[in-house]
Amino acid sequence: MKIATWNVNSIRTRQQQVINWLEHNSIDVLCLQETKVIDKNFPQTPFEELGYNLYVSGQKAYNGVAIFTRHPLEDISTGFAPIVGETLAGDFDEQKRVITGVIDTVRIVNLYVPNGSAIDSDKYDYKLGWLAVLREYLQKLLTEQTREICVCGDFNIALEDQDIYEPKGKEKHIMSSPLEREALKQILALGLQDVFRKFTPEGGHFSWWDYRSGGFSRNRGWRIDHHYLTPKLYEQAISCYIDIKPRKQIQPSDHAPVIVEF
DNA sequence: ATGGCATCCAACGGATGA
């Protein structure tokens, strides 16, 4: 079984590329972020014709997440509120960034973590607040359920310096500032492991490259798209890799898909 | 580098991304 995560930066713009990629890769579960479309306008049919079940949670212009699965999902929910309650979720569910469902004995959690804009901005505070609620959300899922969990998506955080092409001076940069790294480490301390590092200990592997200034051709990248697994799933994983081929195409997403295989 | 490039809305410039 292969579970992929891919920030496509608009599913309507990237529709044909995602179709081509699915036709050439045997993906069982595809978690998408930044679909950027309301649910009724999501291009469902072409993906259903490929044999996928679609579960979407979108909004106009921004954010949006979706899960495609070969076998139907169960126990699906979107946003924080169904798991942590309305009080703790507050207004965070106005932005569509969370969708989850169960396949076989594995719960898939697909996340689009807020970008944060700049470390002295309101959006950065929003990112930290969102991560605090995410911790409660995952703690609930981990303690109330006995099944294994795969938490994947665009985290907009590079946890270690080796996840950045040039880490020097990045402590004041979003995606690598100490507060957001600490917030993510506290989430992983609940009992989740970065499966990419099971197979690839060295740095220099990235999942996002800036469109500007030739980021990709100069390999000025960041590894910010992740699969975090509970221990038994982590043990069962047989590979985890970043597929940079779609990033080389004309009019690509700025992110590459990341795949874990069991 | 308040830079670079891409996407969306419904403008033809502004917001957002990371």
Side-chain angles (χ1 to χ4, degrees):
Chain A
M1 174 159 108
K2 288 184 181 176
I3 302 173
T5 179
W6 193 2
N7 179 324
V8 289
N9 186 16
S10 170
I11 187 59
R12 287 179 292 183
T13 298
R14 230 64 65 195
Q15 175 180 327
Q16 194 55 50
Q17 290 186 34
V18 176
I19 290 169
N20 292 347
W21 190 75
L22 287 171
E23 285 175 340
H24 289 92
N25 295 272
S26 55
I27 302 299
D28 299 284
V29 179
L30 177 59
C31 295
L32 299 175
Q33 304 87 35
E34 281 207 274
T35 53
K36 294 188 170 180
V37 64
I38 57 174
D39 294 350
K40 76 176 177 68
N41 292 341
F42 196 102
Q44 300 233 8
T45 309
F47 299 106
E48 288 169 349
E49 287 174 350
L50 288 176
Y52 288 96
N53 302 278
L54 273 58
Y55 308 91
V56 301
S57 179
Q59 65 182 85
K60 192 164 96 172
Y62 302 114
N63 310 314
V65 286
I67 305 178
F68 299 175
T69 60
R70 288 214 171 276
H71 300 289
L73 280 181
E74 296 175 350
D75 204 6
I76 301 143
S77 67
T78 63
F80 288 136
I83 309 299
V84 304
E86 299 282 348
T87 305
L88 205 51
D91 296 331
F92 283 119
D93 288 344
E94 289 174 5
Q95 299 186 12
K96 305 307 180 190
R97 300 178 175 277
V98 179
I99 186 167
T100 183
V102 175
I103 182 163
D104 298 327
T105 59
V106 178
R107 174 167 288 282
I108 309 291
V109 178
N110 178 20
L111 302 174
Y112 176 45
V113 177
N115 165 297
S117 186
I119 60 167
D120 57 353
S121 68
D122 291 344
K123 290 195 176 72
Y124 183 76
D125 295 337
Y126 183 94
K127 183 178 195 175
L128 295 177
W130 194 94
L131 288 166
V133 178
L134 175 63
R135 188 179 185 281
E136 300 301 314
Y137 174 91
L138 293 175
Q139 187 168 43
K140 272 246 161 62
L141 290 179
L142 286 160
T143 55
E144 291 182 355
Q145 303 183 20
T146 55
R147 61 174 71 90
E148 298 300 309
I149 300 187
C150 169
V151 184
C152 63
D154 175 2
F155 284 75
N156 272 318
I157 298 173
L159 202 51
E160 308 292 342
D161 281 353
Q162 66 171 351
D163 297 321
I164 313 173
Y165 71 96
E166 173 53 88
K168 203 163 55 132
K170 292 295 195 297
E171 60 277 350
K172 293 189 174 175
H173 195 292
I174 53 156
M175 305 192 291
S176 57
S177 70
L179 283 178
E180 57 195 294
R181 281 179 165 176
E182 183 55 34
L184 181 51
K185 283 177 182 170
Q186 287 187 14
I187 287 166
L188 300 185
L190 296 170
L192 295 163
Q193 288 171 278
D194 179 358
V195 70
F196 184 80
R197 289 295 176 217
K198 175 177 175 179
F199 305 100
T200 309
E202 78 279 4
H205 296 270
F206 310 125
S207 65
W208 172 83
W209 300 260
D210 201 316
Y211 284 125
R212 299 166 294 187
S213 308
F216 183 68
S217 60
R218 299 157 75 185
N219 200 26
R220 296 159 68 97
W222 298 59
R223 194 175 72 90
I224 57 175
D225 301 270
H226 307 292
H227 295 87
Y228 293 122
L229 308 181
T230 46
K232 191 191 279 184
L233 261 189
Y234 182 91
E235 290 308 316
Q236 291 172 352
I238 57 172
S239 78
C240 181
Y241 57 97
I242 301 163
D243 183 3
I244 66 166
K245 286 193 296 296
R247 187 64 179 81
K248 297 176 177 175
Q249 293 174 344
I250 295 168
Q251 199 183 19
S253 168
D254 44 355
H255 294 252
V258 188
I259 303 94
V260 63
E261 186 176 10
F262 302 96

